[in-house]
Amino acid sequence: MNNKQLIKRWIPAAAMLLTVAAPGAASASTAGCDPNDASTWGPVSRGAGTTVPASAQIAPGTTIGDNVKIGENVRIGACSTIGDNVVIADAVQLGKAVAVRDGAELGSGSRIGDWSKLGPHSVLGSNAVIGRHSQLGKDKVWLASDVANPAPNV
């Protein structure tokens, strides 16, 4: 599957994407957010000090913490949660219901599959691919050569 096909599958319609709320706007919880049921999706919320470029595409129901740095051309799936002080480099793709914990760093071009979790203060190398339903531990560095699709729970 090429990137264009992947993106078409990953984000079914550009109309599903929302403008990110202003910093400090009322936080919407992802609890009760079903990524397969659009009627449960709340607005996108972001914390204070978070930067989101115009090229980023963030699906509804996503909650972004404080002081998060999001790179260009990032795509975040519905019902995802991004913790505080996270750095997401350019061209990163996160599936639906992905949880990225506080202080994590995601390298450019990396992809994380639906319902996966990246532990706090972990570093995901550039161009790494993490499969669906994966859990990567805290305080670790994960390089593209360390992970597979699907990745084991480690």
Side-chain angles (χ1 to χ4, degrees), residues 62-63 73 85 129 144:
T62 298
T63 300
N73 302 308
N85 304 307
V129 177

Side-chain angles (χ1 to χ4, degrees), residues 20-94:
V20 178
S27 177
S29 172
T30 56
C33 186
D34 179 352
N36 296 317
D37 181 1
S39 69
T40 66
W41 297 352
V44 173
S45 68
R46 68 172 168 162
T50 292
T51 58
V52 180
S55 64
Q57 297 181 344
I58 302 173
T62 298
T63 300
I64 303 170
D66 294 336
N67 302 310
V68 175
K69 306 290 187 249
I70 296 178
E72 296 290 333
N73 302 308
V74 168
R75 295 169 195 247
I76 301 175
C79 303
S80 292
T81 303
I82 310 300
D84 296 335
N85 304 307
V86 170
V87 176
I88 302 175
D90 295 342
V92 169
Q93 297 179 11
L94 304 180

Side-chain angles (χ1 to χ4, degrees), residues 92-144:
V92 169
Q93 297 179 11
L94 304 180
K96 298 182 275 187
V98 169
V100 178
R101 303 294 184 219
D102 295 347
E105 296 181 28
L106 285 67
S108 64
S110 58
R111 297 182 311 202
I112 300 179
D114 299 343
W115 295 284
S116 292
K117 297 176 184 171
L118 183 62
H121 307 288
S122 291
V123 177
L124 184 63
S126 295
N127 300 310
V129 177
I130 307 301
R132 298 176 74 188
H133 300 282
S134 298
Q135 294 185 32
L136 301 181
K138 65 179 185 173
D139 300 317
K140 299 205 183 267
V141 176
W142 302 96
L143 305 175

Side-chain angles (χ1 to χ4, degrees), residues 8-31:
K8 283 183 180 178
R9 260 187 63 216
W10 196 79
I11 300 178
M16 298 300 289
L17 302 172
L18 297 179
T19 303
V20 178
S27 177
S29 172
T30 56

